[in-house]
Amino acid sequence: MILETMLTDWMRKVFSGVLEGTPIEPGRVVVVATADGAFGDYQCNAAMGLARVARRKPVEIASLVKERIDAARSDFLERVEVAGPGFLNLYLRTDWLVEILDQIAVDVRHGVPRVGEGRTVLIDYSSPNVAKPMHIGHIRSTVIGNALDRCYRYLGYRVIADNHIGDWGTQFGILILGYRNFLDRDALRDHPIEELERLYVKSYEQARQSTEWMDQARQELVKLQAGDPENRRLWAEFIQLSLAEFETIYRRLDVKFDLIRGESYYHDQLAPMLARVMEAGIARESEGALVAFLEEEKLPPAIVRKSDGAFNYAATDVATVLSRVAEFNPDRIVYVTDERQQLHFKQFFAICRRLGVTVQLEHVWFGLMRLPEGTFSTRQGNVIKLDRLLDEAEARAAALVKELTPEMEPERQTQVARAVGIGAVKYADLSQNPQSLVTFSWDKALSMNGNSAPYLQYAYARMASLRDKYRERFPTGKPETFPLQMTEPVERVLALALVRFPETLIRAVESSKPSLLADYLYNLAGTYSTFYQNVPVLKAAEGVRESRVRLGGAVADVLRTGLNLLGIEAPERI
RNA sequence: ACCCCCGUAGCUCAGUUGGAUAGAGCAUCGGAUUUCUAAUCCGACGGUCGCAGGUUCAAGCCCUGCCGGGGGUGCCA
């Protein structure tokens, strides 16, 4: 059940009863969680907003609403208060909260409805380029996309996670030329990606200095796209080497795709797509290229085929949408890329709409990763590679585990270090608004204190440990046969937080912001830590003890589920 | 030149889409462990929400202008 939705529906009815004859637009009356417990559990601010149309004072409306609510007996509401200019503060009945919590505690889904049942969403994320190593700039798309992937699945959607590899761009012309001229075979055998990258960088340097070199690179690309056997062979080798390297990273990050289809997969569909575009009159010839003019959408022109006859990424992306619609018929396609592609997405979305595509297209963009000294790029050679970041994270976590949990067997220490290190890296990206620009720092990416994955994992491990200690000390105890009691204020706060898990998750998915879930989990873990530190559990009297074990168990379940939805492991011991 | 983002505590960032007294982490300072994991907890310090107007019961959030930073703008992706 979604508490927020339930309260909103109920409040809307109350309002329309009070303001008979006044039209109330949907969305006008909304109940939301209070920011501060001092104002109750949930609040409704609609009285102020409706004052004008109803031509009455806000406080008057609020008071009438309160009267009506007071007149009816409620099984979920303790009381409602009118405050300030017309706020309605709702205080939920604790016994009702306990009842809901009772249901959630035994529900494997923690009260989350399968709102995506029967719907399909395709998520296009990670999408690295062949022949380049994955660096810290790729981690945001991978981690954010994967979190969305997991959340959508949990909500009951059929999800198709597609890794749209960059295997068809201009870089191959440059790379093939570099391969022919500068290849070091031993280096290719020992460090394939590094060598390919070196070849690309060197060839790119040449191209910058010489237009002749650049033209030659273009020709190699055209040959490749035309099916030249030798270029095809090289191209296939580059891809195979790259995929193997990407796979080791994805394994470490526990990221799995349903499809790995490069841009090349859609190659045969480019010409038919173009025919449709031309037929629909969306594009026309201009300076030798085929260009879609998008004045109606107030967008600059988009080239769909270059004057040399080659297709570019706008063409590929449109063809990709058509192919996906034909094959999977998704309700929604979500793209996770960095901010630089915003215009491109607006343009090709517009072309798709003109072609009559009705699937919901969404671009989830995130701020570019920067270094303190500025931007980084392959060409400048100041990239921080992803495997190095992960190595460092695991090393730091390992040192911490050894220091703080020396009694743990070494094999387990390694496992925990991996979960903690990788978790820290992922959480660093997930815990902030994706759209803010990010300055990379080792200490932030690998933070193990405060608002970090290890903090959440630590809280979880304490819960798990407490649960096990209870079994140890009270082998015949059956907590589930005892009622939940809210004897300390912090317990009620925990109960309320648990009940809010479904609405938080749904909000996170709807706004494509895993950070909302991360934020929720941090609050939950923080409240639990306060509880743990200040409220005895195993030493409490029988009954209270079992109630607290149950409450802690419910928090643990939600925390673990939430962490897993972010792609973060929750070890039982840490 | 135009378009899109961003600007919040010393630093790094949240801020539930317009709600009440703007919150965390780090850093600094002070406290808590004969007790269920101190990777923790409790407290203190810290703010002209870039600047100036506007909209309204209410603005960090919406509108206009300006300043600063980043990104983008018909043959890269």
Side-chain angles (χ1 to χ4, degrees):
Chain A
M1 183 200 53
I2 304 166
L3 195 46
E4 215 175 58
T5 309
M6 180 209 110
L7 292 171
T8 294
D9 290 346
W10 163 76
M11 188 60 96
R12 197 168 286 156
K13 282 186 198 122
V14 178
F15 262 86
S16 48
V18 167
L19 299 175
E20 250 173 45
T22 305
I24 299 173
E25 323 157 24
R28 195 80 238 195
V29 178
V30 170
V31 175
V32 294
T34 52
D36 185 339
F39 301 122
D41 302 320
Y42 281 81
Q43 64 176 303
C44 176
N45 308 325
M48 277 99 74
L50 285 165
R52 178 161 300 177
V53 272
R55 292 164 62 182
R56 310 175 80 150
K57 290 184 174 163
V59 179
E60 208 177 295
I61 298 171
S63 301
L64 287 171
V65 168
K66 175 179 161 53
E67 271 172 36
R68 187 167 280 244
I69 291 170
D70 287 345
R73 190 177 284 120
S74 167
D75 52 353
F76 59 86
L77 199 67
E78 168 74 34
R79 66 180 194 281
V80 56
E81 282 178 3
V82 178
F87 294 107
L88 284 160
N89 295 334
L90 308 179
Y91 295 79
L92 299 176
R93 288 176 61 143
T94 302
D95 57 354
W96 182 77
L97 213 49
V98 164
E99 210 176 291
I100 301 296
L101 190 54
D102 257 324
Q103 294 166 22
I104 287 178
V106 297
D107 178 9
V108 288
R109 294 188 53 79
H110 319 296
V112 177
R114 298 175 70 87
V115 294
E117 199 73 73
R119 293 171 60 81
T120 298
V121 55
L122 190 147
I123 312 179
D124 179 327
Y125 68 96
S126 195
S127 309
N129 287 323
V130 165
K132 292 182 188 169
M134 286 181 83
H135 55 75
I136 57 171
H138 291 107
I139 196 167
R140 299 202 83 186
S141 174
T142 307
V143 164
I144 292 169
N146 187 244
L148 290 174
D149 177 347
R150 290 164 184 265
C151 289
Y152 270 112
R153 276 178 219 273
Y154 193 76
L155 291 181
Y157 287 84
R158 170 188 176 221
V159 176
I160 297 154
D162 189 1
N163 193 1
H164 193 64
I165 304 271
D167 66 355
W168 203 243
T170 310
Q171 77 261 29
F172 286 100
I174 292 172
L175 187 58
I176 287 169
L177 214 49
Y179 187 94
R180 293 238 166 86
N181 290 279
F182 311 119
L183 178 65
D184 174 342
R185 292 210 171 270
D186 293 339
L188 188 71
R189 189 189 55 229
D190 297 336
H191 308 284
I193 303 304
E194 277 85 346
E195 175 61 6
L196 291 182
E197 186 195 17
R198 188 187 69 85
L199 294 174
Y200 173 79
V201 169
K202 189 152 186 192
S203 181
Y204 181 81
E205 281 306 312
Q206 295 282 325
R208 264 171 56 139
Q209 285 159 21
S210 134
T211 53
E212 201 180 311
W213 190 279
M214 192 67 198
D215 289 343
Q216 217 179 320
R218 285 214 185 88
Q219 280 168 29
E220 294 294 352
L221 179 68
V222 172
K223 271 168 68 185
L224 171 68
Q225 299 194 341
D228 174 78
E230 177 56 16
N231 280 9
R232 277 296 178 112
R233 194 190 60 74
L234 286 180
W235 170 75
E237 184 183 351
F238 300 154
I239 291 173
Q240 185 249 314
L241 291 171
S242 292
L243 285 179
E245 179 128 331
F246 297 156
E247 198 45 50
T248 63
I249 299 263
Y250 291 138
R251 243 198 305 275
R252 294 180 76 176
L253 291 174
D254 191 22
V255 167
K256 296 185 194 79
F257 294 95
D258 300 295
L259 295 176
I260 298 183
R261 281 186 187 168
E263 296 166 357
S264 62
Y265 178 87
Y266 305 95
H267 181 232
D268 294 343
Q269 299 167 41
L270 294 174
M273 180 281 302
L274 188 65
R276 272 182 72 177
V277 167
M278 298 309 290
E279 200 177 321
I282 297 168
R284 65 170 191 265
E285 194 274 333
S286 170
E287 293 171 42
L290 293 176
V291 182
F293 291 91
L294 305 165
E295 286 99 345
E296 277 174 44
E297 289 88 349
K298 293 190 181 120
L299 291 170
I303 290 179
V304 291
R305 200 186 69 185
K306 301 192 277 182
S307 52
D308 65 4
F311 292 99
N312 64 356
Y313 66 133
T316 311
D317 281 341
V318 172
T320 301
V321 168
L322 297 180
S323 166
R324 286 168 173 170
V325 166
E327 185 173 356
F328 303 110
N329 190 28
D331 298 278
R332 184 184 298 184
I333 301 177
V334 180
Y335 296 84
V336 187
T337 83
D338 72 61
E339 60 183 328
R340 289 175 303 185
Q341 305 199 32
Q342 286 180 80
L343 175 59
H344 163 65
F345 277 96
K346 283 181 191 162
Q347 288 174 323
F348 99 78
F349 285 178
I351 294 171
C352 288
R353 272 182 224 112
R354 287 201 187 186
L355 282 172
V357 170
T358 54
V359 61
Q360 185 187 345
L361 298 168
E362 187 182 355
H363 181 211
V364 176
W365 58 268
F366 52 86
L368 218 48
M369 185 87 77
R370 283 155 235 272
L371 294 175
E373 61 267 28
T375 55
F376 62 90
S377 74
T378 311
R379 293 166 212 151
Q380 285 172 33
N382 61 346
V383 296
I384 297 173
K385 291 180 181 154
L386 210 41
D387 55 358
R388 197 184 138 211
L389 174 70
L390 301 183
D391 288 346
E392 180 73 18
E394 288 182 11
R396 287 199 193 192
L400 209 53
V401 173
K402 269 203 189 97
E403 185 190 331
L404 296 164
T405 322
E407 71 283 0
M408 190 182 276
E409 48 284 32
E411 196 179 319
R412 194 155 196 183
Q413 280 184 340
T414 308
Q415 280 173 11
V416 169
R418 187 162 53 222
V420 167
I422 301 295
V425 168
K426 287 188 174 184
Y427 190 86
D429 258 327
L430 290 168
S431 62
Q432 62 188 323
N433 180 350
Q435 304 193 337
S436 58
L437 134 179
V438 174
T439 301
F440 178 82
S441 90
W442 285 103
D443 285 338
K444 200 171 89 189
L446 306 179
S447 167
M448 307 274 165
N449 305 299
N451 192 357
S452 66
Y455 176 88
L456 304 187
Q457 289 166 323
Y458 179 67
Y460 178 76
R462 284 171 134 189
M463 295 175 206
S465 170
L466 201 53
R467 174 200 63 206
D468 294 345
K469 282 243 161 60
Y470 176 86
R471 282 183 196 146
E472 219 172 88
R473 291 189 201 175
F474 308 96
T476 57
K478 288 192 166 59
E480 62 281 4
T481 61
F482 288 80
L484 284 162
Q485 326 174 21
M486 304 285 108
T487 47
E488 293 284 332
V490 69
E491 295 179 88
R492 192 179 185 281
V493 177
L494 273 178
L496 194 55
L498 289 173
V499 168
R500 286 175 179 169
F501 177 62
E503 65 195 42
T504 306
L505 181 57
I506 287 171
R507 193 189 298 272
V509 169
E510 275 174 358
S511 57
S512 298
K513 279 178 165 179
S515 61
L516 297 181
L517 178 57
D519 197 45
Y520 165 85
L521 294 175
Y522 176 59
N523 274 316
L524 181 65
T527 307
Y528 179 79
S529 295
T530 297
F531 165 80
Y532 181 91
Q533 201 80 20
N534 300 307
V535 180
V537 176
L538 299 183
K539 301 187 105 186
E542 186 179 34
V544 174
R545 180 175 63 219
E546 280 69 19
S547 166
R548 288 178 182 162
V549 167
R550 284 187 63 196
L551 182 62
V555 173
D557 289 344
V558 169
L559 192 56
R560 187 188 55 243
T561 300
L563 280 170
N564 290 342
L565 287 173
L566 294 178
I568 296 171
E569 276 183 72
E572 299 293 308
R573 296 286 179 277
I574 194 168

